[in-house]
Amino acid sequence: GGSVSALSGALSAALSSMVANLTFGKKGYENVNDEMEEISTKAQELKGTLLKIIDEDTMAFNKVMSAMALPKKTEEEKKIRKEAIERANQEATRVPLKVMEISLELVDLAKRVAEKGNKNALSDAGCALLQARSSCQGAYFNVMINLQGIENEDFKAEVSKKAKEILEKVLRETEAEIQKIHEKLTV
């Protein structure tokens, strides 16, 4: 799920970049050329980051599985295993949290291309927005399930609070924009 959430984010970034490129230099959109160029560049950067995070998520999951496979016969082995599982679970939680943080940027880019981009690509901007929201929600699920395996209560509280705040903001910011796109596309 974490890798798929990162992929959804990468798809959002790719679509926002595409809409910006379909707007840049077009008649009637000259006043947003600089903004579209900036959006396209930023979206490509985020896409590259998210594609790397797909692998980071897989590696983090593999570390959790490796930690769980550690021997647990002696008290020392149990202690080492427990500490390794805690570290691996924290790392596995940080990866989707990073995707959530990036999703805030993705929402901003998608909203901007939906509002100012080439009207012939409004459906693509809408898809970018939906993918950004999906990326955030999927990453949130992964953060929350990973927190269940963590014992450090301070870490859990801090990450849970941050993840909930990001999710609420993304849902709030996408809902109105999605409704606007629905209205503009309804015939």
Side-chain angles (χ1 to χ4, degrees):
S3 293
V4 170
S5 298
L7 178 59
S8 291
L11 293 171
S12 173
L15 284 166
S16 289
S17 179
M18 183 186 81
V19 174
N21 288 329
L22 290 171
T23 306
F24 183 85
K26 298 296 185 276
K27 185 177 179 182
Y29 295 98
E30 297 87 357
N31 61 326
V32 294
N33 273 347
D34 291 344
E35 185 174 4
M36 292 300 129
E37 184 175 28
E38 178 232 318
I39 289 170
S40 180
T41 301
K42 182 64 177 175
Q44 288 298 325
E45 288 171 13
L46 293 175
K47 182 182 80 169
T49 298
L50 287 159
L51 291 173
K52 288 177 187 165
I53 290 175
I54 292 170
D55 292 332
E56 284 179 30
D57 185 76
T58 301
M59 289 184 291
F61 175 77
N62 289 339
K63 285 181 183 177
V64 171
M65 298 310 291
S66 294
M68 293 181 104
L70 289 172
K72 54 184 174 181
K73 291 180 184 169
T74 69
E75 287 305 313
E76 182 64 22
E77 287 176 342
K78 287 178 186 177
K79 180 181 179 228
I80 291 169
R81 180 180 180 270
K82 183 179 176 181
E83 290 170 357
I85 290 171
E86 180 74 10
R87 279 191 312 276
N89 277 329
Q90 286 188 21
E91 183 179 338
T93 303
R94 285 185 191 100
V95 175
L97 185 63
K98 190 185 326 179
V99 173
M100 291 186 74
E101 292 167 343
I102 293 170
S103 74
L104 285 169
E105 295 180 81
L106 297 172
V107 167
D108 176 63
L109 297 177
K111 282 174 61 175
R112 289 166 62 195
V113 295
E115 292 167 2
K116 300 176 185 176
N118 189 322
K119 298 301 175 211
N120 293 321
L122 181 59
S123 60
D124 298 308
C127 287
L129 194 60
L130 291 171
Q131 288 297 314
R133 183 174 73 179
S134 181
S135 174
C136 183
Q137 288 180 296
Y140 176 79
F141 290 156
N142 281 274
V143 166
M144 299 314 285
I145 201 163
N146 289 336
L147 285 177
Q148 293 177 9
I150 293 174
E151 293 187 16
N152 181 323
E153 293 300 326
D154 291 338
F155 180 88
K156 286 169 76 166
E158 180 183 332
V159 170
S160 177
K161 180 178 186 273
K162 186 172 188 177
K164 287 174 184 173
E165 288 171 355
I166 293 171
L167 179 64
E168 288 170 5
K169 185 172 184 179
V170 164
L171 293 177
R172 192 173 51 249
E173 289 190 12
T174 56
E175 195 55 42
E177 193 66 35
I178 289 168
Q179 187 58 41
K180 286 183 205 173
I181 294 169
H182 273 290
E183 291 168 8
K184 289 177 183 176
L185 294 177
T186 301
V187 291

